[in-house]
Amino acid sequence: MTAELEDVSLDLFWMQHALELAKQAAAEGEVPVGAVLVHDNNVLGEGWNRPIASHDPTGHAEINALRAAANTVGNYRLVDTTLYVTLEPCVMCAGAIIQARVKRVVYGATEPKMGAVESVFDVLADPRHNHRPEITGGIMAEQCASQLQEFFRARRAK
């Protein structure tokens, strides 16, 4: 298998993992977004949206995954890691990704209202930052978007 095909396979594998984490958020009544931070194909931290349950406006999946990973490695710098998240990160999460020095961000669905990677803002690629992660968007985008759409469809039906 070529390195490029292996990278795509790994992206699909870890995004599927993030989708499973997003199911946990939905089960808790939270917007279904999941995130996993990986280093050398090992999970350092994972999380899902929990702002309602945690009474914490920063309780996004990405932040929860970054916090868990920082606790795992004992450092707030998470160099040479890849963050997989089912939804394009917001400005807050993009800032945390930059501060943590995450090497690569892979996301599924775009976020047309608050996306800070391509949809509304371009925070991660801004040349004024001293760290700019590599970005891969649209991995399993249909599945990620569908999970969100089903969640909100069910909520509106109530």
Side-chain angles (χ1 to χ4, degrees), residues 103-146:
K103 181 178 182 178
R104 183 168 175 245
V105 176
V106 179
Y107 66 91
T110 56
E111 215 303 15
K113 293 181 180 179
M114 294 290 292
V117 179
E118 69 171 292
S119 297
V120 180
F121 304 103
D122 194 7
V123 173
L124 294 181
D126 192 309
R128 294 171 289 186
H129 298 300
N130 62 337
H131 175 75
R132 289 178 297 285
E134 299 168 25
I135 301 162
T136 304
I139 300 295
M140 298 181 70
E142 293 86 17
Q143 295 93 323
C144 294
S146 177

Side-chain angles (χ1 to χ4, degrees), residues 148-158:
L148 288 158
Q149 290 163 350
E150 287 298 317
F151 174 80
F152 286 113
R153 189 175 298 122
R155 258 184 135 171
R156 284 190 297 271
K158 289 182 181 180

Side-chain angles (χ1 to χ4, degrees), residues 49-100:
N49 268 5
R50 299 200 77 239
I52 298 167
S54 64
H55 309 289
D56 181 359
T58 69
H60 290 196
E62 301 95 307
I63 300 294
N64 292 329
L66 291 171
R67 283 181 179 148
N71 284 327
T72 297
V73 301
N75 195 330
Y76 73 107
R77 296 285 196 228
L78 302 168
V79 298
D80 296 325
T81 58
T82 299
L83 179 68
Y84 294 89
V85 60
T86 58
L87 184 65
E88 178 183 0
C90 70
V91 172
M92 174 185 69
C93 293
I97 289 164
I98 292 167
Q99 292 298 322

